[in-house]
Amino acid sequence: MKLISLIAFTLLTTNLLAQNCDCSVNFNYTVTQVSRNYAGYRDKVNAANSKEFTKFTNKLTEKAKKTSNVDSCYVLLRTWTNYFKDQHLRVQLDWRYREKYPEKLSQLNKLLPKLKSLAPAAKDTLSNETSIKVLNEQTLLITLPSFDWSEKKNVDNLIKKYANELKRTPNWIIDLRGNMGGSDFVYSPFLPYLYTNPMATLSSEFWATADNIEIYEQKLADKEVAKETKAYISNIVALMKNNKGHFVNPSGKDTTYVRLDSIYEYPKKVAFLIDRNSASAAESFLLVAKQSKKVTIFGENSYGMLDYANYEYFDIPCADYNLTIPISRSKRLPKNPIDNIGIRPDVLIDNGEKQKINLIKLRLTQ
């Protein structure tokens, strides 16, 4: 009987520790983890603003001591992370909490300071399904609403299924509207079709800390991670262990190049359609693709969320929240930032235009 009581007490204690929703505890944890592990922290907290930032943080520290519920604490935590103007750095409500209280997220987000002031996106009917559609003999429509890793299999299967159409259709439209990113590996199978000349990519460098090393070592223990990916991660871990408190560049150079042996005859022309909600890995795709002589970008400026990337999840004490922190930064910085600016299209299309696809289709045939 004593053994059962001990087990019950242990489980209860463990659950309480895992669900510590004291706002002050979670705020202090967030401040500590971000200041220690965020790749952009030292770029954004500097001599020019350190006094202002300290005052801002101290004010929220005192508020956290008086905040007692999950919703109010969420607004406080997000107010602090929003200071950095980086959407990859954020505290978010856990999916279980959002599922339980579906109306709360939009209500709470209205209370947050805005990172960007944008008019609403056009009320186009956007697909949420990865697809390839033959519009006519001249044009393919490739819809890529997400680069989440779960879409990798869908993309690979579609490329296999439509192999003949991809190799003989002169005009492509790649719709990236609403694509908030994911993994670069998802879009990489399209690059050989776009290739006309070496494509330059500015490397990323990783911030080396004990926490960031531990996260990457956990990835190495995951049996589902591919061997090639593990080799890449192992290299990063080794570099970080030898250079704690510094940035490490796994590529060993500032710029790397995509160089392929051949240029596909088709497609002849590729139009990318983007909007203000094309972000992160979608913007990585754009930066590489726009170097091709086949490519023209249509639409409006992309979101602007790419300077600090490779965000990782940190186990914030309260299970109702998730904390994500980017641990790498682009070698584009500081000269060519994209965050909160976006990538400008070659051809602007008014936000209110309802026939964007048809407009581009006609343009490609001219």
Side-chain angles (χ1 to χ4, degrees):
M1 191 72 178
K2 286 183 178 179
L3 178 61
I4 294 173
S5 298
L6 179 61
I7 292 171
F9 175 76
T10 302
L11 290 172
L12 176 61
T13 305
T14 302
N15 187 55
L16 288 172
L17 288 172
Q19 180 66 12
N20 188 344
C21 289
D22 181 298
C23 190
S24 189
V25 169
N26 286 278
F27 182 77
N28 292 335
Y29 175 88
T30 300
V31 171
T32 299
Q33 294 299 323
V34 170
S35 61
R36 182 189 297 161
N37 300 305
Y38 175 39
Y41 187 83
R42 284 145 196 83
D43 294 340
K44 298 187 178 187
V45 179
N46 49 50
N49 66 3
S50 60
K51 287 184 179 179
E52 169 206 327
F53 176 74
T54 300
K55 184 178 179 181
F56 167 73
T57 301
N58 289 342
K59 183 178 179 181
L60 292 183
T61 300
E62 292 305 311
K63 280 190 175 182
K65 293 176 183 177
K66 303 170 186 175
T67 301
S68 59
N69 67 70
V70 169
D71 295 348
S72 297
C73 189
Y74 164 74
V75 173
L76 189 147
L77 293 169
R78 281 296 296 268
T79 298
W80 189 79
T81 57
N82 277 9
Y83 178 92
F84 297 91
K85 297 181 180 180
D86 181 352
Q87 286 281 32
H88 278 144
L89 172 68
R90 63 185 181 270
V91 173
Q92 59 193 30
L93 290 167
D94 184 74
W95 67 269
R96 297 174 190 84
Y97 190 83
R98 287 184 276 123
E99 194 173 72
K100 189 175 180 180
Y101 306 106
E103 76 289 347
K104 282 195 174 182
L105 185 61
S106 61
Q107 293 173 358
L108 293 174
N109 283 344
K110 290 177 183 178
L111 303 175
L112 294 170
K114 302 300 180 185
L115 296 188
K116 299 174 71 176
S117 296
L118 288 176
K123 295 180 179 179
D124 302 39
T125 303
L126 300 181
S127 173
N128 59 5
E129 183 178 348
T130 300
S131 64
I132 296 178
K133 182 179 180 181
V134 179
L135 298 183
N136 54 43
E137 290 185 357
Q138 299 292 310
T139 312
L140 284 181
L141 173 61
I142 300 170
T143 304
L144 302 172
S146 172
F147 288 142
D148 284 346
W149 184 252
S150 59
E151 291 300 314
K152 171 81 172 138
K153 186 175 181 180
N154 292 336
V155 168
D156 291 346
N157 287 340
L158 283 169
I159 287 177
K160 185 176 180 180
K161 179 179 178 180
Y162 288 91
N164 290 331
E165 288 83 356
L166 291 168
K167 290 177 181 177
R168 70 186 183 208
T169 307
N171 301 328
W172 291 9
I173 300 172
I174 298 179
D175 188 353
L176 292 182
R177 289 175 297 169
N179 186 322
M180 291 296 287
S183 170
D184 294 351
F185 290 108
V186 177
Y187 67 73
S188 60
F190 289 106
L191 293 180
Y193 293 93
L194 308 183
Y195 185 81
T196 58
N197 48 273
M199 297 171 168
T201 302
L202 286 164
S203 303
S204 292
E205 52 185 3
F206 291 76
W207 180 236
T209 68
D211 296 319
N212 294 343
I213 290 168
E214 183 180 354
I215 285 172
Y216 269 35
E217 285 182 326
Q218 289 172 0
K219 291 180 187 289
L220 291 175
D222 187 343
K223 294 180 181 179
E224 294 186 7
V225 175
K227 287 183 179 179
E228 298 81 2
T229 305
K230 282 192 175 183
Y232 178 70
I233 294 173
S234 294
N235 181 37
I236 295 174
V237 169
L239 287 169
M240 288 200 292
K241 283 183 174 180
N242 291 324
N243 296 276
K244 287 182 181 178
H246 300 279
F247 281 98
V248 299
N249 183 349
S251 71
K253 45 194 168 184
D254 289 353
T255 307
T256 58
Y257 292 88
V258 176
R259 288 188 172 93
L260 301 179
D261 294 333
S262 58
I263 298 173
Y264 287 15
E265 183 178 359
Y266 295 104
K268 299 284 190 183
K269 298 177 183 178
V270 180
F272 279 79
L273 175 56
I274 64 172
D275 68 4
R276 62 197 63 191
N277 293 315
S278 304
S280 194
E283 292 174 305
S284 292
F285 192 14
L286 290 170
L287 287 178
V288 176
K290 68 186 295 192
Q291 298 175 57
S292 168
K293 296 172 184 176
K294 297 180 178 183
V295 169
T296 304
I297 300 174
F298 294 79
E300 59 183 356
N301 276 35
S302 64
Y303 189 94
M305 186 171 67
L306 191 61
D307 293 342
Y308 301 92
N310 290 288
Y311 68 85
E312 300 295 339
Y313 285 87
F314 287 73
D315 292 327
I316 195 165
C318 182
D320 288 329
Y321 307 127
N322 305 134
L323 171 62
T324 66
I325 301 176
I327 68 169
S328 76
R329 71 179 179 189
S330 172
K331 296 292 284 186
R332 283 183 288 98
L333 299 175
K335 290 184 178 179
N336 298 298
I338 285 177
D339 279 10
N340 305 299
I341 300 168
I343 298 168
R344 184 178 175 82
D346 301 304
V347 180
L348 286 166
I349 298 180
D350 185 82
N351 183 38
E353 173 60 55
K354 298 267 181 89
Q355 299 294 323
K356 295 182 177 73
I357 297 293
N358 286 336
L359 189 153
I360 294 171
K361 185 171 69 171
L362 289 172
R363 176 73 177 260
L364 291 176
T365 58
Q366 292 175 355

